[in-house]
Amino acid sequence: MPADPRRSVTSKPPRDPGTSAVEVRRSARRSRTVSAYREGDRTVVLIPARMSEAEERRWVGVMLDKLAAKESRSVLGDRELTERARRLSDQYFDGRARPGSVRWVTNQNTRWGSCTPSEGSIRLSHRLQGMPEYVVDYVLLHELAHLLVPGHGPRFWRLLEAYPRTERARGYLEGVVAAERLPNLRDDSARPDHPDHSARPDHPARRGHPDHPDHPDRPGLPDAREE
């Protein structure tokens, strides 16, 4: 039986972990073309009304992959990054966090981001480039929250609860860190004799034991520091 020619919402989980919902809209005016775009926390896929449910599922997957590939190739410049941070602050923190500057840096291989609250400056690791937008947004919000709250206490995490993809982004970053620990994938800084070893998120010299699931600096999370 063909799907509803007016509109259907697919139950297939999106391939991009940054997409929380996928809505498929059917149109009788479309005969061959398929398109997709982001709309808030949703991905909208537009398809011809005559498509079968099997074709719908296939095209949803194809369009999600295309969108993800396109977004991963888009690297914001420092100016765009600053503007994005300000928009995120307006959306989730009522504009209270006002960064003076936000820029990419290449010297942060053991943390995803850092900030200097006294200057209002935020730095993101270049390793985030190419990751899903919702992950970059989470790290930006994490550092923006540090402009308002210096530590990782309850008040800090309450601020981040406003962002609906916090846990998803944390899981993504933790997965990246876990993959880097696999044999033959570690960089030199993972060696105990490396001068930066103690700065790694998984080193026991950091505040408390980071293997604890509730530790604020456990692997995969941005580590904000004042510099």
Side-chain angles (χ1 to χ4, degrees):
M1 172 189 282
D4 183 345
R6 294 167 297 177
R7 172 183 292 191
S8 66
V9 179
T10 181
S11 58
K12 176 183 181 294
R15 296 184 182 183
D16 179 0
T19 306
S20 58
V22 178
E23 180 179 338
V24 178
R25 298 177 183 173
R26 293 172 171 267
S27 172
R29 291 180 295 179
R30 285 179 175 267
S31 59
R32 297 180 180 178
T33 60
V34 177
S35 61
Y37 59 91
R38 306 291 192 201
E39 187 177 82
D41 288 339
R42 297 180 300 170
T43 299
V44 177
V45 181
L46 306 176
I47 64 174
R50 60 179 177 78
M51 269 194 182
S52 67
E53 292 183 357
E55 289 175 319
E56 174 186 315
R57 287 192 296 270
R58 183 173 72 85
W59 277 104
V60 165
V62 168
M63 299 311 293
L64 287 175
D65 286 345
K66 285 187 175 182
L67 277 177
K70 180 180 178 181
E71 292 169 353
S72 68
R73 291 193 298 267
S74 301
V75 177
L76 298 176
D78 291 348
R79 179 180 298 179
E80 291 82 7
L81 204 59
T82 301
E83 293 174 354
R84 188 183 192 90
R86 289 171 178 167
R87 287 197 301 270
L88 288 168
S89 176
D90 290 340
Q91 183 175 357
Y92 296 105
F93 298 155
D94 297 323
R96 289 178 293 152
R98 306 305 295 176
S101 66
V102 184
R103 60 190 176 92
W104 297 107
V105 294
T106 58
N107 61 349
Q108 290 188 166
N109 293 320
T110 59
R111 46 188 166 153
W112 300 115
S114 63
C115 73
T116 304
S118 61
E119 299 176 357
S121 61
I122 291 174
R123 296 163 295 280
L124 297 190
S125 171
H126 71 288
R127 297 170 63 213
L128 290 165
Q129 295 176 355
M131 291 190 186
E133 288 185 359
Y134 77 100
V135 175
V136 178
D137 285 351
Y138 165 70
V139 178
L140 281 172
L141 284 164
H142 188 110
E143 303 307 332
L144 286 167
H146 278 303
L147 298 182
L148 303 174
V149 180
H152 289 100
R155 184 175 164 228
F156 173 85
W157 292 113
R158 279 197 298 271
L159 282 174
L160 286 179
E161 286 176 358
Y163 183 55
R165 298 182 180 180
T166 288
E167 290 305 315
R168 191 185 297 267
R170 283 157 62 96
Y172 184 99
L173 293 172
E174 287 171 351
V176 171
V177 171
E180 290 175 347
R181 291 176 180 168
L182 293 174
N184 302 322
L185 290 181
R186 293 187 181 185
D187 57 26
D188 288 339
S189 62
R191 296 184 357 244
D193 59 342
H194 191 276
D196 289 336
H197 180 67
S198 61
R200 291 180 61 81
D202 54 332
H203 195 279
R206 294 178 62 80
R207 293 170 292 172
H209 199 291
D211 287 337
H212 191 283
D214 295 328
H215 195 283
D217 289 328
R218 72 181 189 269
L221 304 184
D223 178 15
R225 300 179 182 178
E226 295 187 22
E227 296 182 348

